[in-house]
Amino acid sequence: QVQLVESGGGLVQAGGSLRLSCAASGRTLTTNGMGWFRQPPGKERQFVAAISWSGGSTYYADSVKGRFTISGDKAKNTVYLQMNSLTPEDTAVYYCAARVVGGPLSTYYYQRGYDYWGQGTQVTVSS
């Protein structure tokens, strides 16, 4: 089992920045990549960004490309999401997820490819 704990959420004004962290514990050596998803109020959970531990390749949703940056340190079992130029549309509960299976980076888009999930952290962007 892998346990994931997100932190760093909060309230920020539009145009501001936040950095989310996700700390993994347990059988972390079994994971091949991690991702961030978010669930806006009244909407389904959606893909935000992902990172493969094999080579450190990253993948982003079009809505956050150029504003968000995912990074991580597998040795420290931690992944980050730097969020800049935030807008009210970024308001959501943000979830960290880990996957055991690697594969093409495009498959990191799908929630079903992830084996472990955190409890989420709230990000609220005020206008």
Side-chain angles (χ1 to χ4, degrees), residues 10-18 85-92 122-127:
L11 174 64
V12 63
Q13 288 189 333
S17 298
L18 279 176
S85 302
L86 286 162
T87 73
E89 288 67 38
D90 295 315
T91 294
Q122 176 70 47
V123 171
T124 303
V125 184
S126 63
S127 57

Side-chain angles (χ1 to χ4, degrees), residues 72-122:
D73 187 335
K74 183 164 171 56
K76 295 183 179 179
N77 300 316
T78 304
V79 66
Y80 307 97
L81 185 67
Q82 177 67 42
M83 305 186 295
N84 299 328
S85 302
L86 286 162
T87 73
E89 288 67 38
D90 295 315
T91 294
V93 178
Y94 282 72
Y95 296 90
C96 170
R99 53 188 282 153
V100 172
V101 176
L105 206 57
S106 59
T107 65
Y108 285 52
Y109 176 90
Y110 300 101
Q111 298 182 50
R112 62 177 180 266
Y114 293 81
D115 303 280
Y116 306 101
W117 292 83
Q119 293 299 308
T121 185
Q122 176 70 47

Side-chain angles (χ1 to χ4, degrees), residues 20-101:
L20 304 183
S21 299
C22 174
S25 60
R27 299 183 63 188
T28 58
L29 290 178
T30 63
T31 61
N32 278 281
M34 298 184 73
W36 286 97
F37 291 77
R38 67 186 182 185
Q39 187 165 17
K43 297 183 179 180
E44 294 185 350
R45 192 159 56 186
Q46 57 191 224
F47 172 76
V48 175
I51 184 167
S52 167
W53 293 135
S54 175
S57 299
T58 58
Y59 183 48
Y60 297 93
D62 288 343
S63 59
V64 306
K65 208 172 289 184
R67 300 188 299 124
F68 291 11
T69 302
I70 187 171
S71 61
D73 187 335
K74 183 164 171 56
K76 295 183 179 179
N77 300 316
T78 304
V79 66
Y80 307 97
L81 185 67
Q82 177 67 42
M83 305 186 295
N84 299 328
S85 302
L86 286 162
T87 73
E89 288 67 38
D90 295 315
T91 294
V93 178
Y94 282 72
Y95 296 90
C96 170
R99 53 188 282 153
V100 172
V101 176

